[in-house]
Amino acid sequence: MRIGVLTGGGDCPGLNAVIRAVVRKGVEVYGHEFVGFKDGWKGPLEGLTKPLGVPEVRGILPRGGTILRSSRTNPFKIEGGVEKIKTNLANLGVDALVAIGGEDTLGVATKLDELGVKVIGVPKTIDNDLGATDFTFGFDTAVNIAMEAIDRLHTTAESHHRAVIVEVMGRHAGWIALHAGLAGGANVVLIPEKKFDLEKVVEHVAHRFKIDYSPIVVIAEGAMPSDGDLITQTGELDAFGHVRLGGIGNWLASQIEKATGKEARCVVLGHTQRGGTPTAFDRVLATRFGLQAIDAVHEGDWGKMVALRGTEIVRVPLVEATKELKTVPLHRYAEAEVFFG
Ligand code: F6P
């Protein structure tokens, strides 16, 4: 079989580990051939390819980003997009696709599967918000980066009697904020799933100052005050209808300064959370996903996504995987609340 591989959406550490596992097992165990599609769905849409054999995947296990590059191209927003993809796959002699991505990339894969394209999905995102899998790779790395930043910010905040507001990624799901905040001993954690009461946050911050311990507030970019809305950088939407978030951390810092009279600084971790080498957990998870994905291709088990359930890698229908976002349940948030203030 000749199999196309693509990575779409926001990148995350571990993408190359998946590509490596798919190709190594695909070539060495099953004798398949591969073609790399560049830039997410733009690749099959415009016929943008690159060679993808065992030599091309040597040495990429610890490398961040994606050797295939990525984009947020949505073929369903392009006139004749699906037909173009089908024609390009036929012309290139590609029998099936392995699509590695988050809700948007896999949403496209789900629709293409329904339209007769042979596809297997692999879930990725630092946000950990994909249903049907216990964890996505990239999340553990992002949490570790954020935790290390929080540890460092604790010491400098203390030296200067400052509050530090750490803005982390997480559009609709506060998994990174919750885990990094718990691991880093944050004073308060604010997530998109629960609107926050500014007065309560100020109270927690003031309490930390009172005990001579500098407050670190971890806030997800999609968090909102009880009487406010999402803070966006621009009103512009991407091809999947998402706005560019950012700014809530700075807003909160200014409110805290006003209310407490103490200096408050905001640190936006941004894309630092997505860059660089994956943790061991993410390398192993990504590798196991890749191995299971190529097994699914070899068996012709189309329309499936590989997923982690407990410690096992299983296959679930793509349609189930993209049905709804996995947000933080409020009882999980309550665990962290014990440490606020
Ligand atoms: O979906 C992953 C993610 O990192 C989100 O947490 C974030 O909101 C978004 O991508 C930002 O993506 P970009 O800056 O690449 O458009």
Side-chain angles (χ1 to χ4, degrees), residues 10 72 125-127 169-171 221 271 274:
R72 293 190 190 274
T125 169
I126 62 163
D127 294 348
M169 280 187 168
R171 229 195 285 258
E221 61 184 350
H271 295 91
R274 280 201 340 218

Side-chain angles (χ1 to χ4, degrees), residues 89-266:
L89 294 183
N91 290 344
L92 291 160
V94 172
D95 306 295
L97 286 175
V98 174
I100 311 165
E103 57 163 320
D104 298 328
T105 304
L106 296 182
V108 170
T110 307
K111 289 197 222 159
L112 287 176
D113 165 66
E114 284 158 5
L115 296 169
V117 177
K118 293 173 177 165
V119 58
I120 295 294
V122 178
K124 69 87 227 179
T125 169
I126 62 163
D127 294 348
N128 196 38
D129 59 359
L130 272 184
T133 182
D134 290 351
F135 285 104
T136 48
F137 65 88
F139 172 66
D140 185 65
T141 307
V143 168
N144 275 286
I145 291 168
M147 179 196 72
E148 198 194 318
I150 293 166
D151 287 350
R152 290 174 186 278
L153 290 166
H154 265 299
T155 63
T156 171
E158 213 168 285
S159 310
H160 294 270
H161 308 281
R162 281 177 182 144
V164 175
I165 320 305
V166 187
E167 184 182 303
V168 298
M169 280 187 168
R171 229 195 285 258
H172 307 292
W175 291 110
I176 297 178
L178 181 75
H179 280 227
L182 262 178
N187 181 199
V188 187
V189 177
L190 303 171
I191 61 173
E193 289 85 346
K194 192 176 177 187
K195 286 198 164 191
F196 62 87
D197 176 355
L198 180 60
E199 265 179 43
K200 199 90 208 130
V201 174
V202 168
E203 231 174 74
H204 291 320
V205 167
H207 176 255
R208 276 275 165 122
F209 275 124
K210 218 155 132 202
I211 58 171
D212 196 26
Y213 191 45
S214 282
I216 305 287
V217 177
V218 177
I219 186 165
E221 61 184 350
M224 286 168 278
S226 39
D227 56 355
D229 226 328
L230 277 180
I231 298 193
T232 57
Q233 285 185 29
T234 63
E236 222 175 283
L237 300 180
D238 69 15
F240 290 93
H242 304 298
V243 285
R244 192 182 300 172
L245 295 180
I248 186 70
N250 274 305
W251 177 84
L252 185 61
S254 68
Q255 298 299 313
I256 287 175
E257 271 199 4
K258 238 191 269 167
T260 63
K262 300 272 192 185
E263 196 181 350
R265 296 283 185 94
C266 171

